[in-house]
Amino acid sequence: MSMVSHAETNRLIDTPATISKLLDSLEGLPTTPPSLYIDLEGENISIHGPISILQLHVLPSNQTYLLDVKLLGHDAFTTPGTGGRTLRQLLESEHIPKVIFDVRNDSAALYKQYQVSLAGMHDLQLMELGKRNLGGKRFVNGLGKCIEYDAGLTLFEKAAWKSSKEIGFNLFAPERGGSYAVFNERPLRKEVEEYCIQDAVYLPRLWSKYNEMLTPAWKDRVLEATKARLVMSQDMTYVGNGPNRANGPDDWRWL
């Protein structure tokens, strides 16, 4: 599958009316494979790092929506569709699977800032760890490494993905003279929009690859470990950074 163009993949959601319309389009979607893939962008997202954009990739339509959380605030999560369901209810539903990469800081931010308690989550970082061979589960991988090596990118896709990420990184990374404030500029720069969607569009490929490689027992372990991450991320003592974040679950190390 070639990389889909910006015009085909990006839909900015920045009013209650567009949220309601989006929610209506999400009713009755398939659950196997999961239809919804989520990512967040902002400044050091965690308990205190504010959310600017919530990316929602919808697999059946191959659309990536950018929800302007900075602009909408709580309305992003409390505005209902015509059927009455809100984004909060969707994110909190155990019966609607959602896929994310490393749920911890995103969960902490949503819970602390908007009182959204994620459920029904599939954590790709844990899925990747779980599919490894015996004794290779001490440290988790980052999303960039997983996309580069596991998403089955063509040479063109890999070049475009790396270029978009590099341009975005130069804009927001302080160590490169950038600023996280670019996520809060309105209108969003096209380069920032592209940065936001480039990871989200490849999450379904990772889920498909890792799900195929996991045994039923490991699928259960991944779901339980994901729930443990959710509980941990909502604790008042949660710390969103530090060297221990690279460690896999302690009881997985020699499995």
Coordinates of all heavy atoms in Angstrom, one line a residue, residues 33-81:
P33 N -10.3 -6.7 12.4 CA -9.3 -6.1 13.3 C -9.9 -4.8 13.8 O -10.9 -4.3 13.3 CB -8.1 -5.8 12.4 CG -8.8 -5.6 11.0 CD -9.9 -6.6 11.0
P34 N -9.3 -4.2 14.9 CA -9.8 -2.9 15.4 C -9.8 -1.9 14.3 O -9.0 -1.8 13.4 CB -8.7 -2.6 16.5 CG -8.1 -3.9 16.9 CD -8.1 -4.7 15.6
S35 N -10.9 -1.0 14.4 CA -11.1 0.0 13.4 C -10.4 1.4 13.8 O -10.2 2.2 13.0 CB -12.6 0.3 13.2 OG -13.2 -0.8 12.6
L36 N -10.1 1.5 15.1 CA -9.7 2.8 15.6 C -8.2 2.8 16.2 O -7.9 1.9 17.0 CB -10.6 3.3 16.7 CG -12.1 3.4 16.3 CD1 -12.9 3.8 17.5 CD2 -12.3 4.3 15.1
Y37 N -7.4 3.8 15.7 CA -6.0 3.9 16.1 C -5.7 5.3 16.6 O -6.1 6.2 15.9 CB -5.1 3.5 14.9 CG -5.4 2.1 14.4 CD1 -6.6 1.7 13.7 CD2 -4.6 1.0 14.8 CE1 -6.8 0.4 13.3 CE2 -4.8 -0.3 14.4 CZ -6.0 -0.6 13.7 OH -6.3 -1.9 13.4
I38 N -5.1 5.4 17.7 CA -5.0 6.7 18.4 C -3.6 7.1 18.7 O -2.7 6.3 19.0 CB -5.8 6.6 19.7 CG1 -7.3 6.4 19.4 CG2 -5.7 7.9 20.6 CD1 -8.1 6.0 20.7
D39 N -3.4 8.4 18.6 CA -2.1 9.0 19.1 C -2.4 10.4 19.6 O -3.4 11.0 19.2 CB -1.1 9.0 17.9 CG 0.3 9.3 18.3 OD1 0.6 9.2 19.6 OD2 1.2 9.6 17.5
L40 N -1.5 11.0 20.4 CA -1.6 12.3 20.9 C -0.4 13.1 20.6 O 0.7 12.6 20.6 CB -1.9 12.4 22.4 CG -3.1 11.6 22.9 CD1 -3.2 11.8 24.4 CD2 -4.4 12.2 22.3
E41 N -0.5 14.4 20.4 CA 0.6 15.3 20.2 C 0.4 16.5 21.1 O -0.7 17.0 21.4 CB 0.7 15.8 18.8 CG 1.0 14.7 17.8 CD 2.3 14.0 17.9 OE1 3.2 14.5 18.7 OE2 2.5 13.0 17.3
G42 N 1.5 17.0 21.6 CA 1.5 18.2 22.5 C 2.9 18.4 23.1 O 3.9 17.7 22.7
E43 N 3.0 19.2 24.1 CA 4.3 19.5 24.7 C 4.5 18.6 25.9 O 3.8 18.7 27.0 CB 4.3 20.9 25.2 CG 5.7 21.3 25.9 CD 5.8 22.8 26.2 OE1 4.8 23.5 26.0 OE2 6.8 23.2 26.8
N44 N 5.4 17.6 25.7 CA 5.7 16.6 26.8 C 4.5 16.0 27.4 O 4.3 16.2 28.6 CB 6.6 17.3 27.9 CG 7.9 17.8 27.3 OD1 8.6 17.1 26.5 ND2 8.4 19.0 27.8
I45 N 3.7 15.4 26.6 CA 2.4 14.9 27.1 C 2.5 13.9 28.2 O 3.3 13.0 28.1 CB 1.6 14.2 25.9 CG1 1.1 15.3 24.9 CG2 0.5 13.4 26.4 CD1 0.4 14.8 23.7
S46 N 1.8 14.2 29.3 CA 1.7 13.4 30.4 C 0.7 14.0 31.4 O -0.2 14.7 30.9 CB 3.1 13.1 31.1 OG 3.0 12.1 32.1
I47 N 0.9 13.9 32.7 CA 0.0 14.4 33.6 C -0.1 16.0 33.5 O -1.2 16.5 33.5 CB 0.4 14.1 35.1 CG1 0.2 12.6 35.3 CG2 -0.4 14.9 36.1 CD1 0.7 12.1 36.7
H48 N 1.0 16.6 33.3 CA 1.0 18.1 33.2 C 1.2 18.6 31.8 O 0.9 19.8 31.5 CB 2.1 18.7 34.1 CG 1.9 18.3 35.6 ND1 0.8 18.6 36.3 CD2 2.7 17.5 36.4 CE1 1.0 18.1 37.6 NE2 2.1 17.4 37.6
G49 N 1.7 17.8 30.9 CA 1.9 18.2 29.5 C 0.6 18.3 28.8 O -0.1 17.3 28.6
P50 N 0.2 19.5 28.3 CA -1.1 19.7 27.6 C -1.2 18.9 26.3 O -0.2 18.9 25.5 CB -1.2 21.2 27.5 CG 0.2 21.6 27.4 CD 1.0 20.7 28.3
I51 N -2.4 18.4 26.0 CA -2.7 17.8 24.7 C -3.1 18.9 23.7 O -3.9 19.7 24.0 CB -3.9 16.8 24.9 CG1 -3.5 15.8 25.9 CG2 -4.2 16.2 23.5 CD1 -4.7 14.9 26.3
S52 N -2.5 18.9 22.6 CA -2.8 19.8 21.5 C -3.7 19.1 20.5 O -4.8 19.7 20.1 CB -1.6 20.4 20.8 OG -0.8 21.1 21.7
I53 N -3.3 18.0 20.0 CA -4.0 17.3 18.9 C -4.2 15.8 19.3 O -3.3 15.2 19.9 CB -3.2 17.3 17.6 CG1 -3.0 18.8 17.2 CG2 -3.8 16.5 16.5 CD1 -4.2 19.4 16.7
L54 N -5.4 15.3 19.1 CA -5.6 13.8 19.2 C -5.8 13.3 17.8 O -6.7 13.8 17.0 CB -6.9 13.5 20.0 CG -7.2 12.1 20.3 CD1 -7.9 11.9 21.6 CD2 -8.0 11.4 19.2
Q55 N -4.9 12.4 17.3 CA -5.1 11.8 16.0 C -5.9 10.5 16.1 O -5.7 9.7 17.0 CB -3.7 11.4 15.5 CG -2.8 12.6 15.3 CD -1.7 12.7 16.4 OE1 -2.0 13.0 17.5 NE2 -0.5 12.3 16.0
L56 N -6.8 10.4 15.2 CA -7.7 9.2 15.2 C -7.7 8.7 13.8 O -8.2 9.3 12.9 CB -9.1 9.6 15.6 CG -10.1 8.4 15.6 CD1 -9.8 7.3 16.6 CD2 -11.5 8.9 15.9
H57 N -7.1 7.5 13.6 CA -7.0 6.9 12.3 C -8.1 5.8 12.3 O -8.2 5.0 13.2 CB -5.7 6.2 12.0 CG -5.6 5.6 10.6 ND1 -5.5 6.3 9.5 CD2 -5.7 4.3 10.2 CE1 -5.5 5.5 8.4 NE2 -5.6 4.3 8.9
V58 N -9.0 5.9 11.2 CA -10.1 5.0 11.1 C -9.8 4.0 9.9 O -9.7 4.4 8.8 CB -11.4 5.7 10.8 CG1 -12.6 4.8 10.7 CG2 -11.7 6.8 11.9
L59 N -9.6 2.8 10.3 CA -9.1 1.8 9.3 C -10.1 1.5 8.1 O -9.6 1.5 7.0 CB -8.8 0.5 10.0 CG -8.2 -0.7 9.1 CD1 -7.0 -0.3 8.4 CD2 -8.0 -1.9 9.9
P60 N -11.4 1.3 8.4 CA -12.2 1.0 7.3 C -12.3 2.1 6.2 O -12.4 1.8 5.0 CB -13.6 0.8 7.9 CG -13.3 0.4 9.3 CD -12.1 1.2 9.7
S61 N -12.2 3.4 6.6 CA -12.2 4.4 5.6 C -10.8 5.0 5.2 O -10.7 5.8 4.4 CB -13.0 5.6 6.2 OG -12.4 6.1 7.4
N62 N -9.8 4.5 6.0 CA -8.4 4.9 5.8 C -8.3 6.4 5.9 O -7.6 7.1 5.1 CB -7.9 4.5 4.4 CG -6.3 4.6 4.4 OD1 -5.7 4.4 5.4 ND2 -5.8 4.8 3.2
Q63 N -9.0 7.0 6.9 CA -9.0 8.4 7.1 C -8.3 8.7 8.5 O -8.5 7.9 9.4 CB -10.4 9.0 7.2 CG -11.2 8.9 5.9 CD -10.7 9.9 4.9 OE1 -10.0 10.9 5.2 NE2 -11.1 9.7 3.6
T64 N -7.5 9.7 8.5 CA -6.9 10.1 9.8 C -7.4 11.5 10.1 O -7.3 12.5 9.4 CB -5.3 10.2 9.7 OG1 -4.8 8.9 9.3 CG2 -4.7 10.6 11.0
Y65 N -8.1 11.6 11.3 CA -8.7 12.8 11.7 C -7.8 13.4 12.8 O -7.3 12.8 13.7 CB -10.1 12.6 12.3 CG -11.0 12.0 11.3 CD1 -11.2 10.6 11.2 CD2 -11.8 12.8 10.5 CE1 -12.1 10.1 10.2 CE2 -12.7 12.3 9.6 CZ -12.8 10.9 9.4 OH -13.7 10.4 8.5
L66 N -7.7 14.8 12.8 CA -6.9 15.5 13.8 C -7.9 16.3 14.6 O -8.5 17.3 14.1 CB -5.9 16.5 13.1 CG -4.9 15.8 12.2 CD1 -4.0 16.9 11.6 CD2 -4.2 14.7 12.8
L67 N -8.1 15.9 15.9 CA -9.1 16.6 16.8 C -8.3 17.7 17.5 O -7.3 17.4 18.2 CB -9.7 15.6 17.7 CG -10.8 14.7 17.2 CD1 -10.3 13.7 16.2 CD2 -11.6 14.1 18.4
D68 N -8.8 18.9 17.4 CA -8.1 20.0 18.0 C -8.5 20.2 19.4 O -9.4 20.9 19.8 CB -8.5 21.3 17.2 CG -7.5 22.5 17.5 OD1 -6.9 22.4 18.6 OD2 -7.4 23.4 16.7
V69 N -7.8 19.4 20.3 CA -8.1 19.4 21.7 C -7.8 20.8 22.4 O -8.5 21.2 23.3 CB -7.4 18.3 22.4 CG1 -7.7 18.3 23.9 CG2 -7.8 16.9 21.8
K70 N -6.7 21.4 21.9 CA -6.4 22.7 22.4 C -7.5 23.7 22.2 O -7.8 24.5 23.2 CB -5.1 23.3 21.8 CG -4.8 24.7 22.2 CD -3.5 25.2 21.6 CE -3.4 26.7 21.9 NZ -3.5 27.1 23.4
L71 N -8.1 23.7 21.1 CA -9.2 24.7 20.8 C -10.5 24.2 21.4 O -11.2 25.1 22.0 CB -9.4 24.7 19.3 CG -10.5 25.7 18.8 CD1 -10.2 27.1 19.1 CD2 -10.7 25.5 17.3
L72 N -10.8 23.0 21.4 CA -12.1 22.5 21.8 C -12.2 22.2 23.3 O -13.2 22.3 23.9 CB -12.5 21.2 21.1 CG -12.8 21.4 19.6 CD1 -12.8 20.1 18.9 CD2 -14.1 22.1 19.4
G73 N -11.0 21.9 23.9 CA -11.0 21.6 25.4 C -12.0 20.4 25.7 O -12.0 19.4 25.0
H74 N -12.7 20.5 26.8 CA -13.6 19.5 27.2 C -14.7 19.1 26.1 O -15.2 18.0 26.1 CB -14.3 19.8 28.5 CG -13.4 19.7 29.7 ND1 -13.2 18.5 30.4 CD2 -12.5 20.6 30.3 CE1 -12.3 18.7 31.4 NE2 -11.9 20.0 31.3
D75 N -15.0 20.1 25.3 CA -16.0 19.8 24.3 C -15.6 18.7 23.3 O -16.4 18.0 22.7 CB -16.3 21.1 23.4 CG -17.1 22.1 24.2 OD1 -17.7 21.8 25.2 OD2 -17.2 23.3 23.7
A76 N -14.3 18.5 23.2 CA -13.8 17.4 22.3 C -14.3 16.1 22.8 O -14.5 15.1 22.0 CB -12.3 17.4 22.3
F77 N -14.5 15.9 24.1 CA -14.8 14.7 24.7 C -16.3 14.5 25.2 O -16.8 13.4 25.5 CB -13.9 14.4 25.9 CG -12.5 14.5 25.6 CD1 -11.7 15.6 25.8 CD2 -11.8 13.4 24.9 CE1 -10.4 15.7 25.4 CE2 -10.5 13.5 24.5 CZ -9.8 14.6 24.8
T78 N -17.0 15.7 25.3 CA -18.4 15.6 25.8 C -19.4 15.9 24.8 O -20.6 15.8 25.0 CB -18.5 16.7 26.9 OG1 -18.2 18.0 26.5 CG2 -17.6 16.3 28.1
T79 N -19.0 16.4 23.6 CA -20.0 16.6 22.5 C -20.5 15.3 21.9 O -19.8 14.4 21.5 CB -19.4 17.4 21.3 OG1 -18.9 18.7 21.9 CG2 -20.4 17.7 20.2
P80 N -21.9 15.1 21.9 CA -22.4 13.8 21.4 C -22.7 13.8 20.0 O -22.9 14.9 19.3 CB -23.7 13.7 22.2 CG -24.2 15.1 22.4 CD -22.9 15.9 22.5
G81 N -22.7 12.6 19.4 CA -23.2 12.4 18.0 C -24.7 12.4 18.1 O -25.3 12.5 19.2

